């Protein structure tokens, strides 16, 4: 097995690294403080091909594999988890859903705009009272002539306000029926469709989060993705790939926390020497890097399976569960290593910890990943 990064990965890593240092790092503190979603920065990422990384060139994408996609998210995560989350949600959820399950006409209409950043994408499964228990969703769509009429809400939706196009999972059948949920494409500005920003989040504050509201929203038949009633099955497949995104971002956040810790430990002196020379600190750094390397290996294993169209439910859950927990551990250790300074916004440790925590929640909590893994084991 070859563990070397390929030429495309090296190229993308350097390109993203340069962009992040110039276009993200100088502003991330302000974006975090103000909970500001930098749409212009996202569009620049689109111009670079980073909003359609695995979308084929025929649809305006970069045409790379999930290995390159994971690499890009890791590099962004090292600088800002919020921007990383937005890139992940846009790529693997909204754009990916249309690419993997949309019709030829839907792909031709939406993918070129999404892949280039002309459009920002959103994806909505969760509701206020249905997180992990998605089959109890309350939002409904009823057929009326050739249209579908949607009523209800979706919650915790990335890019809910700024998204030009949203993919939403809506109940079209009976409650608890896995064949009773359908995927719809909803364009911004559709009558009856609105959003409210969710404020005061702990972390990933540069990524926009909103509640979507549907009040008799009429959606034409051509905006149904795939067959009516197949939305839940589509969503489960999309989340398999989405977990690679969160694992990748988690690895980036963890490595960013680690690198900041190493830099601080070499510079900070106590008792006449850098604190890195003390075993208590050196062992923390050793543990952090060992766990990060293991998380990256799990993540690239899942990406390999995705690229080769092999089953990845268990491996995706491994990667997402382990990498997200490692990100929190590394963020926490970074704060501990920096002591009082780590507890302030003057230093980056506290932001890594705040951003990392969402990784254990979004796209399936750590507890849900354990359920997925155990079910796969016991099949």
């Amino acid at each position: 097995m070859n563990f070397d990064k390929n030429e495309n990965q090296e190229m993308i890593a350097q390109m993203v690294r340069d962009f992040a240092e110039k276009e993200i790092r100088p502003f991330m503190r302000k974006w975090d403080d103000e909970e500001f979603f930098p749409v212009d920065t996202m569009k620049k990422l689109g111009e670079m091909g980073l909003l359609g990384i695995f979308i084929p060139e025929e649809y305006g994408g970069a045409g790379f594999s999930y290995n390159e996609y994971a690499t890009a998210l890791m590099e962004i995560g090292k600088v800002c988890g919020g921007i990383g989350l937005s890139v992940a949600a846009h790529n693997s959820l909204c754009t990916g859903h249309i690419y993997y399950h949309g019709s030829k006409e839907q792909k031709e209409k939406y993918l070129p705009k999404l892949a280039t950043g002309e459009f920002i994408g959103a994806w909505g499964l969760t509701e206020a009272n249905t997180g992990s228990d998605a089959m109890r969703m309350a939002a409904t769509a009823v057929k009326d002539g050739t249209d579908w009429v949607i009523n209800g809400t979706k919650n915790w939706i990335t890019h809910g306000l700024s998204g030009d196009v949203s993919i939403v999972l809506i109940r079209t059948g009976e409650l608890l029926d896995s064949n009773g949920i359908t995927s719809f494409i909803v364009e911004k500005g559709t009558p009856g469709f609105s959003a409210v920003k969710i404020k005061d989040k702990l972390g990933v504050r540069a990524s926009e989060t909103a509640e979507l509201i549907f009040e008799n929203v009429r959606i034409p038949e051509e905006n149904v993705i795939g067959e009516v009633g197949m939305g839940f099955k589509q969503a489960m497949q999309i989340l398999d790939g989405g977990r690679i995104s969160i694992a990748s971002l988690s690895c980036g956040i963890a490595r960013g926390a680690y690198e900041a810790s190493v830099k601080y430990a070499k510079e900070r002196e106590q008792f006449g020497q850098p604190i890195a020379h003390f075993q208590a600190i050196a062992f923390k750094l050793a543990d952090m890097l060992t766990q990060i390397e293991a998380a990256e290996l799990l993540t690239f294993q899942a990406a390999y399976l995705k690229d080769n169209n092999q089953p990845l439910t268990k491996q995706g859950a491994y990667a997402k569960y382990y990498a997200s927990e490692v990100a929190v551990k590394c963020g926490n250790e970074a704060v501990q290593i920096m002591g009082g300074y780590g507890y302030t916004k003057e230093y980056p440790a506290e932001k890594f910890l705040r951003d990392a925590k969402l990784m254990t929640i979004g796209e399936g909590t750590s507890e849900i990943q354990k359920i997925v893994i155990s079910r796969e084991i016991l099949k």
Side-chain angles (χ1 to χ4, degrees):
M1 185 178 291
N2 183 3
F3 292 100
D4 293 334
K5 286 185 169 64
N6 62 45
E7 185 178 343
N8 286 333
Q9 284 178 281
E10 295 286 3
M11 176 194 70
I12 285 179
Q14 189 60 56
M15 178 180 71
V16 175
R17 203 174 297 135
D18 293 342
F19 179 88
E21 290 300 323
K22 179 182 177 182
E23 301 286 348
I24 298 176
R25 192 179 296 280
F27 313 106
M28 65 179 189
R29 169 74 183 274
K30 180 179 173 64
W31 296 341
D32 184 72
D33 286 344
E34 298 177 359
E35 291 190 281
F36 176 75
F37 174 51
V39 175
D40 289 345
T41 303
M42 282 288 288
K43 290 189 177 296
K44 289 178 182 178
L45 287 164
E47 292 169 4
M48 295 168 60
L50 295 174
L51 296 188
I53 298 178
F54 55 82
I55 301 300
E57 292 180 15
E58 64 180 298
Y59 294 121
F64 289 127
S65 72
Y66 249 69
N67 270 322
E68 285 83 10
Y69 176 44
T71 299
L73 285 175
M74 288 177 186
E75 290 296 332
I76 297 173
K78 283 163 61 175
V79 178
C80 181
I83 301 301
L85 180 67
S86 281
V87 172
H90 176 96
N91 272 286
S92 63
L93 298 183
C94 178
T95 307
H97 199 137
I98 295 175
Y99 173 57
Y100 290 115
H101 298 287
S103 65
K104 183 175 184 293
E105 292 75 19
Q106 289 168 343
K107 292 177 185 179
E108 290 175 346
K109 181 177 181 180
Y110 294 107
L111 289 182
K113 293 181 178 180
L114 287 164
T116 58
E118 181 181 348
F119 274 9
I120 301 297
W123 191 82
L125 173 65
T126 303
E127 297 180 3
N129 294 315
T130 57
S132 302
D133 190 10
M135 283 198 294
R136 294 184 190 271
M137 65 174 60
T140 59
V142 178
K143 193 72 179 291
D144 182 21
T146 59
D147 291 344
W148 288 86
V149 180
I150 301 177
N151 281 285
T153 62
K154 292 291 173 182
N155 212 15
W156 309 112
I157 309 306
T158 303
H159 308 150
L161 277 168
S162 298
D164 298 282
V165 58
S166 300
I167 309 303
V168 293
L169 288 298
I170 306 293
R171 185 158 59 84
T172 51
E174 297 299 317
L175 198 67
L176 302 181
D177 180 5
S178 62
N179 293 313
I181 295 171
T182 303
S183 305
F184 295 90
I185 300 173
V186 184
E187 296 186 18
K188 189 175 185 177
T190 301
F193 177 48
S194 62
V196 178
K197 183 176 181 177
I198 294 173
K199 301 179 181 179
D200 297 326
K201 295 182 299 181
L202 173 70
V204 293
R205 291 162 62 91
S207 180
E208 178 187 275
T209 309
E211 178 185 25
L212 304 183
I213 301 169
F214 301 88
E215 297 176 313
N216 294 318
V217 177
R218 301 188 74 88
I219 302 298
E221 181 70 33
E222 59 264 29
N223 280 28
V224 172
I225 300 179
E227 296 179 18
V228 171
M230 295 300 292
F232 186 78
K233 291 180 173 64
Q234 293 172 9
M236 295 303 101
Q237 293 173 18
I238 293 301
L239 286 174
D240 275 348
R243 285 166 185 157
I244 300 174
S245 302
I246 298 301
S248 304
L249 181 53
S250 296
C251 290
I253 293 171
R255 192 170 283 275
Y258 162 77
E259 291 179 356
S261 298
V262 171
K263 182 176 185 295
Y264 182 88
K266 287 181 176 180
E267 295 173 351
R268 173 69 166 170
E269 291 192 0
Q270 291 286 275
F271 305 101
Q273 60 183 312
I275 64 171
H277 291 179
F278 295 112
Q279 192 178 77
I281 301 300
F283 279 13
K284 285 183 184 294
L285 297 174
D287 283 340
M288 290 166 77
L289 188 55
T290 301
Q291 292 168 7
I292 291 166
E293 294 281 346
E296 289 181 355
L297 286 172
L298 283 172
T299 302
F300 282 119
Q301 179 194 41
Y304 172 85
L305 294 174
K306 176 72 172 174
D307 286 332
N308 287 277
N309 297 313
Q310 296 183 33
L312 60 96
T313 297
K314 183 168 62 175
Q315 283 75 14
Y318 284 158
K320 196 274 183 186
Y321 166 52
Y322 186 73
S324 64
E325 294 290 340
V326 165
V328 173
K329 289 178 183 176
C330 288
N332 190 55
E333 289 288 44
V335 172
Q336 193 71 17
I337 289 168
M338 296 183 196
Y341 291 109
Y343 204 66
T344 70
K345 287 190 175 183
E346 183 181 352
Y347 285 73
E350 60 86 33
K351 184 178 185 298
F352 284 123
L353 178 57
R354 288 189 290 108
D355 287 351
K357 187 56 198 169
L358 180 67
M359 304 302 114
T360 68
I361 299 170
E363 296 197 35
T365 64
S366 291
E367 291 74 19
I368 289 295
Q369 303 315 308
K370 291 180 185 181
I371 291 174
V372 171
I373 293 166
S374 61
R375 282 177 178 169
E376 290 293 313
I377 292 170
L378 299 172
K379 271 184 177 179

